[in-house]
PDB file of all heavy atoms in Angstrom:
ATOM      1  N   ALA A 184      -9.274   0.311   2.397  1.00 98.00           N
ATOM      2  CA  ALA A 184      -8.701   1.531   1.878  1.00 98.00           C
ATOM      3  C   ALA A 184      -9.446   2.647   2.555  1.00 98.00           C
ATOM      4  O   ALA A 184     -10.649   2.846   2.316  1.00 98.00           O
ATOM      5  CB  ALA A 184      -8.856   1.616   0.353  1.00 98.00           C
ATOM      6  N   CYS A 185      -8.781   3.368   3.452  1.00 96.00           N
ATOM      7  CA  CYS A 185      -9.453   4.243   4.412  1.00 96.00           C
ATOM      8  C   CYS A 185     -10.296   5.330   3.783  1.00 96.00           C
ATOM      9  O   CYS A 185      -9.995   5.856   2.697  1.00 96.00           O
ATOM     10  CB  CYS A 185      -8.417   4.871   5.335  1.00 96.00           C
ATOM     11  SG  CYS A 185      -9.119   5.920   6.618  1.00 96.00           S
ATOM     12  N   SER A 186     -11.375   5.682   4.475  1.00 93.00           N
ATOM     13  CA  SER A 186     -12.402   6.568   3.959  1.00 93.00           C
ATOM     14  C   SER A 186     -12.358   7.971   4.568  1.00 93.00           C
ATOM     15  O   SER A 186     -13.184   8.809   4.175  1.00 93.00           O
ATOM     16  CB  SER A 186     -13.794   5.982   4.279  1.00 93.00           C
ATOM     17  OG  SER A 186     -13.922   4.691   3.721  1.00 93.00           O
ATOM     18  N   ALA A 187     -11.444   8.248   5.495  1.00 92.00           N
ATOM     19  CA  ALA A 187     -11.424   9.543   6.172  1.00 92.00           C
ATOM     20  C   ALA A 187     -10.576  10.535   5.393  1.00 92.00           C
ATOM     21  O   ALA A 187      -9.393  10.310   5.167  1.00 92.00           O
ATOM     22  CB  ALA A 187     -10.890   9.390   7.576  1.00 92.00           C
ATOM     23  N   PRO A 188     -11.155  11.670   4.988  1.00 90.00           N
ATOM     24  CA  PRO A 188     -10.378  12.630   4.215  1.00 90.00           C
ATOM     25  C   PRO A 188      -9.106  13.113   4.917  1.00 90.00           C
ATOM     26  O   PRO A 188      -8.045  13.164   4.316  1.00 90.00           O
ATOM     27  CB  PRO A 188     -11.356  13.794   4.028  1.00 90.00           C
ATOM     28  CG  PRO A 188     -12.722  13.207   4.160  1.00 90.00           C
ATOM     29  CD  PRO A 188     -12.570  12.091   5.145  1.00 90.00           C
ATOM     30  N   GLN A 189      -9.214  13.402   6.202  1.00 89.00           N
ATOM     31  CA  GLN A 189      -8.060  13.945   6.944  1.00 89.00           C
ATOM     32  C   GLN A 189      -6.907  12.955   7.037  1.00 89.00           C
ATOM     33  O   GLN A 189      -5.738  13.351   7.076  1.00 89.00           O
ATOM     34  CB  GLN A 189      -8.477  14.367   8.362  1.00 89.00           C
ATOM     35  CG  GLN A 189      -9.316  15.629   8.415  1.00 89.00           C
ATOM     36  CD  GLN A 189     -10.771  15.431   8.032  1.00 89.00           C
ATOM     37  OE1 GLN A 189     -11.197  14.326   7.669  1.00 89.00           O
ATOM     38  NE2 GLN A 189     -11.577  16.492   8.089  1.00 89.00           N
ATOM     39  N   SER A 190      -7.218  11.648   7.042  1.00 93.00           N
ATOM     40  CA  SER A 190      -6.179  10.643   7.176  1.00 93.00           C
ATOM     41  C   SER A 190      -5.381  10.450   5.877  1.00 93.00           C
ATOM     42  O   SER A 190      -4.253   9.959   5.926  1.00 93.00           O
ATOM     43  CB  SER A 190      -6.792   9.309   7.591  1.00 93.00           C
ATOM     44  OG  SER A 190      -7.443   9.416   8.818  1.00 93.00           O
ATOM     45  N   ASN A 191      -5.978  10.810   4.774  1.00 93.00           N
ATOM     46  CA  ASN A 191      -5.436  10.477   3.432  1.00 93.00           C
ATOM     47  C   ASN A 191      -5.069  11.729   2.644  1.00 93.00           C
ATOM     48  O   ASN A 191      -5.031  11.681   1.413  1.00 93.00           O
ATOM     49  CB  ASN A 191      -6.409   9.627   2.672  1.00 93.00           C
ATOM     50  CG  ASN A 191      -6.764   8.353   3.401  1.00 93.00           C
ATOM     51  OD1 ASN A 191      -5.943   7.485   3.595  1.00 93.00           O
ATOM     52  ND2 ASN A 191      -8.003   8.262   3.875  1.00 93.00           N
ATOM     53  N   ASN A 192      -4.842  12.840   3.332  1.00 94.00           N
ATOM     54  CA  ASN A 192      -4.535  14.123   2.670  1.00 94.00           C
ATOM     55  C   ASN A 192      -5.572  14.512   1.626  1.00 94.00           C
ATOM     56  O   ASN A 192      -5.276  15.004   0.570  1.00 94.00           O
ATOM     57  CB  ASN A 192      -3.128  14.079   2.027  1.00 94.00           C
ATOM     58  CG  ASN A 192      -2.531  15.482   1.848  1.00 94.00           C
ATOM     59  OD1 ASN A 192      -3.010  16.430   2.473  1.00 94.00           O
ATOM     60  ND2 ASN A 192      -1.495  15.564   1.045  1.00 94.00           N
ATOM     61  N   PHE A 193      -6.843  14.217   1.995  1.00 93.00           N
ATOM     62  CA  PHE A 193      -8.015  14.683   1.266  1.00 93.00           C
ATOM     63  C   PHE A 193      -8.109  14.148  -0.171  1.00 93.00           C
ATOM     64  O   PHE A 193      -8.550  14.841  -1.084  1.00 93.00           O
ATOM     65  CB  PHE A 193      -8.093  16.216   1.298  1.00 93.00           C
ATOM     66  CG  PHE A 193      -8.210  16.749   2.705  1.00 93.00           C
ATOM     67  CD1 PHE A 193      -7.092  17.073   3.418  1.00 93.00           C
ATOM     68  CD2 PHE A 193      -9.439  16.872   3.298  1.00 93.00           C
ATOM     69  CE1 PHE A 193      -7.187  17.547   4.722  1.00 93.00           C
ATOM     70  CE2 PHE A 193      -9.580  17.328   4.603  1.00 93.00           C
ATOM     71  CZ  PHE A 193      -8.432  17.675   5.326  1.00 93.00           C
ATOM     72  N   ALA A 194      -7.675  12.900  -0.349  1.00 95.00           N
ATOM     73  CA  ALA A 194      -7.862  12.190  -1.615  1.00 95.00           C
ATOM     74  C   ALA A 194      -8.048  10.731  -1.294  1.00 95.00           C
ATOM     75  O   ALA A 194      -7.452  10.213  -0.378  1.00 95.00           O
ATOM     76  CB  ALA A 194      -6.666  12.412  -2.532  1.00 95.00           C
ATOM     77  N   PHE A 195      -8.898  10.056  -2.084  1.00 96.00           N
ATOM     78  CA  PHE A 195      -9.196   8.646  -1.840  1.00 96.00           C
ATOM     79  C   PHE A 195      -8.581   7.814  -2.958  1.00 96.00           C
ATOM     80  O   PHE A 195      -8.843   8.057  -4.128  1.00 96.00           O
ATOM     81  CB  PHE A 195     -10.687   8.421  -1.753  1.00 96.00           C
ATOM     82  CG  PHE A 195     -11.356   9.244  -0.680  1.00 96.00           C
ATOM     83  CD1 PHE A 195     -12.303  10.180  -0.999  1.00 96.00           C
ATOM     84  CD2 PHE A 195     -10.990   9.064   0.668  1.00 96.00           C
ATOM     85  CE1 PHE A 195     -12.900  10.937  -0.011  1.00 96.00           C
ATOM     86  CE2 PHE A 195     -11.583   9.810   1.655  1.00 96.00           C
ATOM     87  CZ  PHE A 195     -12.554  10.767   1.327  1.00 96.00           C
ATOM     88  N   LYS A 196      -7.786   6.803  -2.545  1.00 97.00           N
ATOM     89  CA  LYS A 196      -7.065   6.001  -3.493  1.00 97.00           C
ATOM     90  C   LYS A 196      -7.169   4.531  -3.100  1.00 97.00           C
ATOM     91  O   LYS A 196      -7.584   4.202  -1.998  1.00 97.00           O
ATOM     92  CB  LYS A 196      -5.584   6.439  -3.501  1.00 97.00           C
ATOM     93  CG  LYS A 196      -5.393   7.895  -3.944  1.00 97.00           C
ATOM     94  CD  LYS A 196      -3.962   8.376  -3.732  1.00 97.00           C
ATOM     95  CE  LYS A 196      -3.633   8.629  -2.280  1.00 97.00           C
ATOM     96  NZ  LYS A 196      -4.250   9.811  -1.676  1.00 97.00           N
ATOM     97  N   PRO A 197      -6.797   3.617  -3.984  1.00 98.00           N
ATOM     98  CA  PRO A 197      -6.879   2.193  -3.648  1.00 98.00           C
ATOM     99  C   PRO A 197      -5.730   1.757  -2.733  1.00 98.00           C
ATOM    100  O   PRO A 197      -4.758   2.481  -2.547  1.00 98.00           O
ATOM    101  CB  PRO A 197      -6.782   1.500  -5.007  1.00 98.00           C
ATOM    102  CG  PRO A 197      -5.961   2.464  -5.834  1.00 98.00           C
ATOM    103  CD  PRO A 197      -6.367   3.834  -5.371  1.00 98.00           C
ATOM    104  N   ILE A 198      -5.884   0.590  -2.187  1.00 98.00           N
ATOM    105  CA  ILE A 198      -4.826  -0.117  -1.474  1.00 98.00           C
ATOM    106  C   ILE A 198      -4.652  -1.477  -2.175  1.00 98.00           C
ATOM    107  O   ILE A 198      -5.617  -2.119  -2.550  1.00 98.00           O
ATOM    108  CB  ILE A 198      -5.192  -0.328   0.000  1.00 98.00           C
ATOM    109  CG1 ILE A 198      -5.003   0.970   0.781  1.00 98.00           C
ATOM    110  CG2 ILE A 198      -4.381  -1.462   0.647  1.00 98.00           C
ATOM    111  CD1 ILE A 198      -3.539   1.393   1.012  1.00 98.00           C
ATOM    112  N   HIS A 199      -3.426  -1.892  -2.309  1.00 98.00           N
ATOM    113  CA  HIS A 199      -3.145  -3.231  -2.847  1.00 98.00           C
ATOM    114  C   HIS A 199      -2.618  -4.093  -1.694  1.00 98.00           C
ATOM    115  O   HIS A 199      -2.059  -3.614  -0.744  1.00 98.00           O
ATOM    116  CB  HIS A 199      -2.077  -3.173  -3.956  1.00 98.00           C
ATOM    117  CG  HIS A 199      -2.545  -2.507  -5.195  1.00 98.00           C
ATOM    118  ND1 HIS A 199      -1.700  -2.275  -6.272  1.00 98.00           N
ATOM    119  CD2 HIS A 199      -3.757  -2.016  -5.559  1.00 98.00           C
ATOM    120  CE1 HIS A 199      -2.399  -1.690  -7.239  1.00 98.00           C
ATOM    121  NE2 HIS A 199      -3.629  -1.497  -6.816  1.00 98.00           N
ATOM    122  N   TYR A 200      -2.860  -5.412  -1.832  1.00 98.00           N
ATOM    123  CA  TYR A 200      -2.275  -6.325  -0.874  1.00 98.00           C
ATOM    124  C   TYR A 200      -1.878  -7.617  -1.604  1.00 98.00           C
ATOM    125  O   TYR A 200      -2.470  -7.980  -2.601  1.00 98.00           O
ATOM    126  CB  TYR A 200      -3.213  -6.623   0.309  1.00 98.00           C
ATOM    127  CG  TYR A 200      -4.470  -7.378   0.005  1.00 98.00           C
ATOM    128  CD1 TYR A 200      -4.547  -8.748   0.178  1.00 98.00           C
ATOM    129  CD2 TYR A 200      -5.614  -6.697  -0.456  1.00 98.00           C
ATOM    130  CE1 TYR A 200      -5.715  -9.447  -0.082  1.00 98.00           C
ATOM    131  CE2 TYR A 200      -6.787  -7.382  -0.714  1.00 98.00           C
ATOM    132  CZ  TYR A 200      -6.838  -8.729  -0.516  1.00 98.00           C
ATOM    133  OH  TYR A 200      -8.008  -9.421  -0.806  1.00 98.00           O
ATOM    134  N   VAL A 201      -0.825  -8.228  -1.082  1.00 98.00           N
ATOM    135  CA  VAL A 201      -0.276  -9.469  -1.642  1.00 98.00           C
ATOM    136  C   VAL A 201      -0.207 -10.505  -0.553  1.00 98.00           C
ATOM    137  O   VAL A 201       0.272 -10.231   0.547  1.00 98.00           O
ATOM    138  CB  VAL A 201       1.132  -9.212  -2.235  1.00 98.00           C
ATOM    139  CG1 VAL A 201       1.739 -10.516  -2.729  1.00 98.00           C
ATOM    140  CG2 VAL A 201       1.086  -8.181  -3.343  1.00 98.00           C
TER     141      VAL A 201
END
Side-chain angles (χ1 to χ4, degrees):
C185 182
S186 304
Q189 286 79 357
S190 299
N191 304 292
N192 204 15
F193 299 91
F195 302 118
K196 299 171 285 289
I198 283 289
H199 291 175
Y200 67 97
V201 176

